[in-house]
Structures are given as C-alpha cells and as structure tokens.
Amino acid sequence: MTERIGHWIGGKLVTGESGRTGPVFDPATGERTHEVDFASVDEVDLAIEAAREAFVGWRATSLSKRADVLFRIRDLVDQHRTEIGTLITQQHGKVLSDAMGEVARGLENIEFATGIPHLLKGGFSEQVSTGVDTYSIRQPLGVVAGITPFNFPAMVPMWMFANAIACGNAFILKPSEKDPGASMFVAELLKEAGLPDGVFNVVQGDRVVVDRLLEHPEVRALSFVGSTPIARYIYETGTKHGKRVQALGGAKNHMVVLPDADVEMAADAAVSAGYGSAGERCMAISVVVAVGDIADPLVEAILARLPDVRVGPGMDPESEMGPLVTREHREKVASYLESGPAQGAELVADGRTHDRVGGEGFFLGVSLLDHVTAEMDAYRDEIFGPVLSVVRVPSYAEALRLVNENPYGNGTAIFTRDGGAARRFQFECEVGMVGVNVPIPVPVGYYSFGGWKHSLFGDTHMYGPDGVHFYTKQKVVTARWPDPGTSAVDLGFPRTR
Ligand code: NAD
C-alpha cells in the first residue's frame, strides 16, 4: 500500500479531491512509496483564500511577536533535523549526512529571518522642509508563492518562506512532486511554533497549480527555483500578469584550475563538488577547466579518487553518494556516457559499470569524460548527475572565454595559488557566485543567492537582504504636524524650504 501525501491549507491537512495524483519513489529501492495529490484549480483557490484571510491579521502582528514565532520555528526545525533529513533521503535519494547538511543550510535562512525587526528598519529624515519629516517603511506584499525543485526539498522552501512570512506575507508553497514529504512535515512544525493558520500553505501538484498561481490576481509575487526553460516561463508569464517574480534556473558550473594550483587539493574539490548529492545540485561542479600542463596530473589525481567514492543507499551511513531521483533521470544522465564518446570525448570512468547499476534502485556510479569540447552535448547540457567533464584549454584567457560564453552563470570557482590571478578572475567572470579555492560557493544566509544570465530571471537574488527586499514594497511618508501659523494655500509644486 502506498501512502498518500495531501495538501496543507489553512493550518490543516487536506486530502486532494481532483482525482489526479503522482508517484513518489524511494530512489534507493525503486519502490513506489507514496502517491501525492495533484491540486485542481479550485483547491489552489482554496489555499489562496486561506492565505488572503490570514494575511490581514499576520501583517498587523507586531514585529516582536513575528520574531518570536520565527525563533520557535528555528528551534523546532533544529530539534527535528533528523526526521526532516530522513524524509529527504527517502524521497530524493541523497545520503543522510548530505540531507542533514541541507537542513542546516536551510536553518541559516530561518535564523536570518529571526532578525526581522532589525531588517525592516526604514529611514527617517527630520526637517526635510520646515516642520516636515520624511520616512520610508517596508510593507509586505500580501499572498506570495514559491515553486521549488526536487533537489533541495527542504532548503529551497526555507530560502523563500522564512523571509516571506517574517516580512508579514502569507505564503503558498508548491513543492516538487517528486519529493513533497519534507514540506508537509515542516508545515506541521510551523503550526506547532504558533504560526497562525493560513500564513503557510502547501499545495501539491504540477503545471495546473503553477499556472493558477501565475494568473490569480491575489498572488502578488512568485519565487521559483528549477530548470531554465520553466524559470523563463514563470518569469515571462508572472510578470505579464503584473506580479513580482524571481526565477532561478539551471546551471553549468566551471571549476578553472590554473597550472600553479595544488593538484591534490583541486582533485579533492572536483570530486567532492562534482559527485556530491550525485551531481544533483545547481552549484555542483560540472566542468573542470584544466589550464595548460596541469591537465594530465589533475585527471590522474581525480581518477585515483573515484574508486573510493562509496555509492549506496542514502540511509546507509557508509554511503557517500546515493542514487538519482528517478529512473527516467538516471537514464537521461547515463545517455551522456553514450553521446560523449560518440562526439569525441574520452570516457575515462564509466559509472554504468558500478555493482549497484542494474538493480531496482536508480543508481549510477561516478563517471568522468575527458577531452570534452564546447560543441559536445555533455558540455552544452546541464547533465545534473554524477558525470564530470574535463575541458583542456591552453591559457587563462581561454578558460575565461569558456566561462563567459556559457549561457549559464550560476557558480564558478578558480583554483590557484596566485592571488592576483584569482582577483582578476573574480573581476572578469560573468557569473553570480564565485569561489576562490572553494568549489561550491553558496553564500551564507546573510548574503543572497543568485546566478547571472540564464541562471536567474528577475532583479533580486534569493534569501538574505535581497529576500527581504523582494517580499516587501517600499512606502515613503512625508508628514507635517500642523502649525496653524504657517498654513497657507499654495498651488505650486511641493518644494523644500
Ligand atoms: P523543474 O524545472 O523540472 O521543476 C521545478 C518546479 O517547477 C517543480 O515544482 C515542478 O513541479 C515545476 N514544473 C515543472 N514543469 C513545469 C511546467 N511545465 N510548468 C509549470 N511548472 C512546472 O526542475 P527540477 O528538475 O525539479 O530541479 C532541477 C533543476 O533546478 C536544475 O535545472 C537545477 O539547476 C535547478 N536548480 C536551480 C537552483 C538555483 O538556485 N539556480 C537551485 C536548485 C535547482
């Protein structure tokens, strides 16, 4: 018997009635463990109505009471890290230690949002004209929605809802239909923390839900994280309907290794960042750009590490890399091990030969393609799996050109001992997040996260100060407390005097 996963609307579990559902698998066993309800338009409207009603009281709740609720949310998520991590592993497949890391990074966003009284401070100018003061305030938008990808089923929702609700909005989450369990668990924690019913809602489903959120006039803003084609669609459709939209897309992250780099350190970083979470991270390293004569020793050092990567079920503490999320995704990733060599790359490690491949789970071992060029599919596509490519280039200038000509601009890293070269790269590369000898430069919660080019559509990055900005609108008040002695009719344009 598969278990059912429903919606969370108005502070309670609501079983879907649309008659449409989708399967949720345990990627380690291939077993279909859950059936998730797909909401109808009416069910989405129910959630929007619940959020609209809750918004009225929540936006009027004092900052200290809102902060209080966020501190309780923080404590409850902290206490339940293992349960959340386990749900992630059982539905996504990533190893438990990695899932726990995801929860820890998500917690940073909740911790940031506990500072909301400070974050929402406005500006004040006394005496902008005689007897007149001006001040700016930031107010919530109303009902806002978040649409999230499969690869971080707990953290990415936290990127969004922590700031959104702290700012006084009511939030509707549409999680990935592939691993929706963690968001339902978190919804219960938010209620337990004292968040009023309707301030946080979860509506499960597919495009039907997304399209309704995009067109409903009561939804004021949409945050999206997922693949580039959908991000572009969300941005274009949402803005056409007059909404504020931030839509983060896919990635192809390059790790540039200069000839002076520490080869062992660079190889450790490439293996960790290329195969961690089975490559299903938007900040995973997908391409190693080996500059000059470091290529041979670097490839050798990477290859030497691959037999030690322990691939297995995510709940086994011995495993370092779990399966891929679905059978279809695994097949797609494995197809690059056909197309790569057919287009001229050298397959130096073939994950299809791993013992676990061929069983019921969605496993693929670690794979390495060498001598990849910019024309090959393995380079052009976001593979989103444990397939690392090595592109060999003769110079720093060629490496930079590759990075800057790539349509994505999420993350990149440079490995070198030369501070001047690193600084030049930081100055010249057209990418939103840059690591210097750091392969996965995900900003901490008090900065903001976002790529450039096809990795982000919109103006603001996600979480941190940009998140507060995104979920509020500014109001500027100009006030005079009348002194009857100075009052007079004046039809001229207001001026300072
Ligand atoms: P996806 O684009 O397939 O799905 C993301 C969300 O959009 C899901 O909730 C899904 O249900 C919904 N969706 C899918 N197809 C839709 C459609 N046609 N119309 C409306 N909604 C639709 O992405 P995914 O496979 O879940 O996640 C992996 C992708 O997310 C990768 O491309 C990865 O790079 C990207 N990602 C980016 C970031 C970032 O910060 N830039 C972070 C994590 C993941």
Side-chain angles (χ1 to χ4, degrees):
M1 258 292 272
T2 55
E3 275 179 58
R4 188 99 175 253
I5 298 176
H7 316 296
W8 184 266
I9 298 174
K12 57 180 192 298
L13 182 66
V14 173
T15 305
E17 290 184 349
S18 73
R20 294 192 317 122
T21 62
V24 177
F25 295 92
D26 177 347
T29 61
E31 189 194 345
R32 189 171 175 153
T33 56
H34 295 81
E35 211 57 39
V36 59
D37 291 331
F38 282 7
S40 63
V41 167
D42 286 348
E43 286 165 329
V44 179
D45 286 0
L46 214 62
I48 294 173
E49 187 50 29
R52 199 187 59 76
E53 276 174 23
F55 170 65
V56 180
W58 182 239
R59 75 157 290 204
T61 302
S62 74
L63 285 173
S64 53
K65 283 189 185 139
R66 273 193 249 154
D68 226 31
V69 172
L70 277 144
F71 272 106
R72 285 201 295 272
I73 294 174
R74 190 249 162 233
D75 287 348
L76 284 168
V77 171
D78 180 41
Q79 285 161 26
H80 293 278
R81 283 172 193 248
T82 311
E83 288 102 310
I84 302 172
T86 303
L87 277 167
I88 296 171
T89 296
Q90 288 169 344
Q91 296 180 7
H92 174 284
K94 66 176 76 171
V95 297
L96 185 60
S97 55
D98 191 30
M100 300 287 282
E102 165 179 352
V103 179
R105 291 310 300 262
L107 256 177
E108 278 182 23
N109 302 114
I110 298 172
E111 283 162 1
F112 177 79
T114 58
I116 198 64
H118 175 70
L119 296 167
L120 281 185
K121 278 183 190 162
F124 191 101
S125 297
E126 188 186 50
Q127 200 76 344
V128 294
S129 183
T130 309
V132 177
D133 302 327
T134 289
Y135 49 98
S136 66
I137 49 186
R138 298 205 77 92
Q139 296 190 331
L141 306 177
V143 178
V144 299
I147 299 156
T148 53
F150 81 81
N151 67 323
F152 286 106
M155 181 185 77
V156 171
M158 289 175 191
W159 283 4
M160 301 173 180
F161 77 69
N163 276 332
I165 63 176
C167 290
N169 300 284
F171 190 85
I172 299 173
L173 173 66
K174 205 301 277 173
S176 168
E177 66 279 26
K178 297 192 178 99
D179 45 16
S183 45
M184 293 301 282
F185 186 80
V186 168
E188 286 181 39
L189 296 184
L190 265 54
K191 185 179 170 90
E192 193 182 333
L195 188 73
D197 292 348
V199 175
F200 180 80
N201 307 276
V202 182
V203 184
Q204 313 286 1
D206 57 1
R207 186 169 178 168
V208 172
V209 176
V210 174
D211 283 345
R212 185 61 182 156
L213 293 170
L214 282 168
E215 72 191 19
H216 197 296
E218 203 61 54
V219 176
R220 300 295 151 87
L222 277 147
S223 301
F224 172 88
V225 176
S227 60
T228 288
I230 313 296
R232 190 195 300 272
Y233 168 73
I234 301 277
Y235 183 76
E236 289 175 355
T237 316
T239 51
K240 203 164 74 196
H241 283 89
K243 299 182 196 315
R244 191 177 282 194
V245 182
Q246 51 178 188
L248 276 58
K252 192 81 187 174
N253 306 313
H254 296 63
M255 170 173 157
V256 175
V257 185
L258 296 188
D260 73 336
D262 182 318
V263 172
E264 301 303 321
M265 182 180 159
D268 284 339
V271 172
S272 313
Y275 303 110
S277 199
E280 291 171 325
R281 290 182 183 139
C282 65
M283 289 292 277
I285 290 298
S286 175
V287 185
V288 171
V289 185
V291 179
D293 57 14
I294 200 162
D296 282 340
L298 182 60
V299 169
E300 203 176 301
I302 292 174
L303 274 176
R305 284 159 171 76
L306 298 191
D308 296 334
V309 176
R310 293 188 302 270
V311 180
M315 290 307 291
D316 179 348
E318 289 294 303
S319 303
E320 292 175 300
M321 190 184 106
L324 291 161
V325 68
T326 59
R327 177 166 283 117
E328 296 70 36
H329 187 54
R330 184 213 165 277
E331 296 313 316
K332 178 154 186 293
V333 172
S335 75
Y336 292 95
L337 306 177
E338 295 286 335
S339 69
Q343 293 169 11
E346 198 180 320
L347 181 59
V348 285
D350 186 347
R352 293 170 300 184
T353 60
H354 194 276
D355 295 347
R356 298 228 170 234
V357 174
E360 293 301 306
F362 312 142
F363 289 97
L364 183 64
V366 293
S367 303
L368 187 68
L369 287 166
D370 195 2
H371 298 285
V372 171
T373 64
E375 295 72 38
M376 295 176 189
D377 291 338
Y379 179 81
R380 288 148 62 104
D381 298 351
E382 179 187 34
I383 301 176
F384 222 56
V387 179
L388 190 59
S389 296
V390 178
V391 178
R392 296 169 177 239
V393 296
S395 63
Y396 165 82
E398 280 303 302
L400 181 74
R401 194 168 65 82
L402 204 62
V403 171
N404 284 353
E405 286 183 0
N406 194 277
Y408 298 105
N410 215 38
T412 188
I414 187 161
F415 276 70
T416 178
R417 290 182 165 104
D418 181 341
R423 190 174 181 283
R424 182 172 164 195
F425 183 70
Q426 163 225 297
F427 187 75
E428 294 179 332
C429 70
E430 291 171 24
V431 176
M433 293 170 282
V434 183
V436 175
N437 298 314
V438 171
I440 307 186
V442 175
V444 287
Y446 41 98
Y447 282 78
S448 298
F449 181 109
W452 287 12
K453 300 187 275 188
H454 290 184
S455 297
L456 188 147
F457 302 88
D459 308 306
T460 47
H461 286 196
M462 194 89 41
Y463 71 72
D466 267 25
V468 173
H469 207 263
F470 181 78
Y471 291 121
T472 53
K473 55 194 168 193
Q474 195 169 196
K475 189 178 269 179
V476 181
V477 182
T478 302
R480 167 191 286 134
W481 290 99
D483 168 2
T486 61
S487 176
V489 172
D490 179 355
L491 299 193
F493 192 70
R495 63 210 132 105
T496 48
R497 25 182 178 184

